[in-house]
Amino acid sequence: MAVALMPILLLGGFQARADFREQAAERRLDLQLAAERSAGEARARLAAATLVLTVLSPESLGPFCGPRLGTLVDRLEGYDGLYRVSATGVIVCRAETEAGLPATVADTVWFQRLKAGEDTVLSRSGRGMPLRPALIVAVRSQRPMGTFDGAMVGLVPLASLRPQLVDPTLPEGAQSALADAAGNILTATETAAFATITNGTAARIIAQTRAGEASIFEARDGTGQNRVYSVAALAGRDVFVVFSAPAPGWLSWARLNPIGLVLMPLAAWLTAFLAVMTVSERIIIRWLTYLERVASIYAKGRFTVRPTQAANAPSEIRVLANTLDELADTIQTRDAALNEGLAEKDGLMREIHHRVKNNLQIISSLLSMQQRALTDAPAKAALGDTRQRISALALIYRTLYQSDNVRHADARDFLTELVGQLVASEAGRGHLVTSSVQADSLLVDPDKLAPLALWLVEAVTNAQKHAFAARGGDLQVRFAVAGETSVLEVQDDGPGPDPAADSGGVGRTLMGAFAKQLRGTAELLPAPDGGTIARLVFATPEALTPTDPHDVLGTSGPLSR
């Protein structure tokens, strides 16, 4: 938002830059006009002096020349001395308020210029002449035939010609001075402001400035500050009026007009920013926050909440709220249909499992009837083993349709019930057998549960035949989940495995086949305290986790190895 409103500040910056340039140009123009006005005033003063000298030139001869000139110096303001110079450069008549020109000026530059034909010469007084800086104004005198006849000379104090700083149009910090053609300062209100204009470009610009013109340039003063200089010729190429003012700096534009150039654009930007933020917060942001809360509730599965408060929102927000409302209705309708379909499917699966269990139970009952009718012991035993296997399968389907999830069964509950069923089925036919089951929780699908159950049936049946047939005993069943592998052990306290026994029997063959279906191995081992351990090691089924959090990595008890 702030970036979007930046054009306001940029526009203010461009306007400030334009105003700064305009004001800088006005400052330079004011300085130039002040130099021209001061030069004009000084020229008028010098023109008057030249006129006076011209008028006095014929009357400056004779025995009373000195007193007459003395009277004029006393009465005329702005003269330090009046002199009559002969054609040979000797001062023949003089009147002065203090030490002035020497007795002869024949070797001075200004006298040589008059002698060469110039009518009027302006020059700064040299060393050893006046005690205070003065300007020599010399007017050529000649005889009726045009022969050079000396000059009439006046000393005008430079202080009287120096421009004054009372002009209200002058920029702040302006200073004034008089300089010669070489850039040498004759007199100045502040010497440091003109200390560096005697060298380089500045002196050249001063020397090239002609009468009636004004030149502008920039240079650094004696303190290193950048200043603007305006030069105007006082008379000819001898004396120049110089005005100086500090050049505008990087931040001077702000000082020139801080309210119009800085504060107003900044205030406009802040006002627009706050207005846009307030309107956005009131009209848009708070409604978007409200819809975001509604959407987060939908993400948690609660679709009964409706964005009813958005009825008073702007049209765009209402459209978005209606879209969320329709989305919630669609999801609720779809969820209801899915739940109904799942419930129907679950009911069908339970019915199928129930019927399969009943059918297996009928087959087990038929085999039981057939077993009782047989007199051959081996055949009778074979039918009994088959009936136990079928009962184990029936137990699987009963467990499935009785569980909360018809697609999986908990191995701990199933193994506990299956061991109890196997032990109970033989309880009335022989000696007492006690059993214990230690099992971890593991969700197993029917494809893995069937070979696991049949392997357990074979292991328990083998213990009942060989370890408990004549004496009874203790049966221990252990099931542990150890990460990627699981272990099922059936231990009896019988005489132990018989090395000479045939390992190719039906039971041993089935146990090996069931182990392969589970991608595992089966083996018979002697128990440490006597007896036999039937061990099945197989890969833990993927994508299924134990229902008991304590069984994720641990076991319910130590396993014999």
Side-chain angles (χ1 to χ4, degrees), residues 97-416:
T97 59
E98 57 186 24
L101 298 179
T104 177
V105 294
D107 296 331
T108 60
V109 175
W110 59 266
F111 183 78
Q112 294 298 325
R113 289 171 55 187
L114 288 174
K115 192 175 181 180
E118 293 189 31
D119 293 331
T120 303
V121 175
L122 301 179
S123 177
R124 181 182 180 182
S125 57
R127 294 181 180 179
M129 293 185 183
L131 292 180
R132 63 174 179 172
L135 185 67
I136 297 175
V137 182
V139 177
R140 175 187 173 93
S141 296
Q142 60 186 14
R143 295 174 184 177
M145 298 300 294
T147 305
F148 177 65
D149 192 27
M152 193 68 192
V153 180
L155 282 182
V156 179
L158 290 177
S160 65
L161 297 176
R162 186 177 59 200
Q164 301 299 315
L165 301 178
V166 295
D167 192 339
T169 62
L170 286 174
E172 182 180 357
Q175 302 295 335
S176 65
L178 292 179
D180 60 14
N184 298 312
I185 302 303
L186 306 179
T187 181
T189 55
E190 183 178 339
T191 305
F194 304 90
T196 60
I197 67 171
T198 59
N199 300 321
T201 306
R204 187 166 58 253
I205 293 175
I206 292 175
Q208 293 175 354
T209 303
R210 298 182 180 180
E213 300 178 354
S215 299
I216 293 289
F217 64 92
E218 291 190 16
R220 293 189 179 277
D221 61 12
T223 63
Q225 183 183 13
N226 197 32
R227 300 180 71 91
V228 178
Y229 294 88
S230 178
V231 181
L234 194 73
R237 61 178 187 275
D238 298 294
V239 182
F240 301 86
V241 174
V242 183
F243 273 91
S244 172
W250 288 101
L251 296 179
S252 62
W253 59 275
R255 294 193 299 268
L256 293 175
N257 189 3
I259 296 178
L261 301 181
V262 180
L263 298 181
M264 288 299 291
L266 185 60
W269 180 82
L270 287 175
T271 302
F273 179 77
L274 293 176
V276 171
M277 289 298 296
T278 302
V279 173
S280 299
E281 174 66 25
R282 183 64 182 170
I283 297 180
I284 299 176
I285 302 299
R286 74 183 186 97
W287 291 113
L288 292 179
T289 303
Y290 170 70
L291 294 180
E292 182 182 2
R293 291 199 303 267
V294 173
S296 64
I297 295 175
Y298 289 171
K300 296 177 182 179
R302 296 171 53 194
F303 299 102
T304 56
V305 178
R306 291 292 187 269
T308 56
Q309 296 182 12
N312 299 324
S315 58
E316 294 82 0
I317 301 298
R318 289 200 303 272
V319 171
L320 184 57
N322 292 334
T323 302
L324 285 177
D325 196 4
E326 294 174 359
L327 177 63
D329 288 337
T330 302
I331 293 177
Q332 276 191 315
T333 303
R334 186 197 62 183
D335 287 350
L338 291 176
N339 290 332
E340 183 179 354
L342 289 175
E344 183 179 356
K345 181 179 178 181
D346 185 75
L348 293 175
M349 290 292 293
R350 292 180 189 277
E351 181 65 22
I352 291 173
H353 291 332
H354 182 66
R355 292 189 180 186
V356 171
K357 188 270 299 182
N358 289 341
N359 292 336
L360 292 175
Q361 192 65 44
I362 291 173
I363 295 174
S364 178
S365 299
L366 293 175
L367 291 176
S368 178
M369 293 174 59
Q370 187 66 38
Q371 183 184 16
R372 288 193 296 270
L374 294 175
T375 56
D376 183 47
K380 195 171 184 177
L383 285 179
D385 292 343
T386 303
R387 186 172 58 83
Q388 283 187 336
R389 298 180 185 114
I390 294 174
S391 297
L393 295 176
L395 180 60
I396 293 175
Y397 289 100
R398 191 185 76 180
T399 302
L400 289 174
Y401 79 75
Q402 288 180 348
S403 65
D404 295 334
N405 193 330
V406 297
R407 292 180 294 277
H408 308 110
D410 190 353
R412 178 167 57 189
D413 297 337
F414 175 77
L415 294 178
T416 301

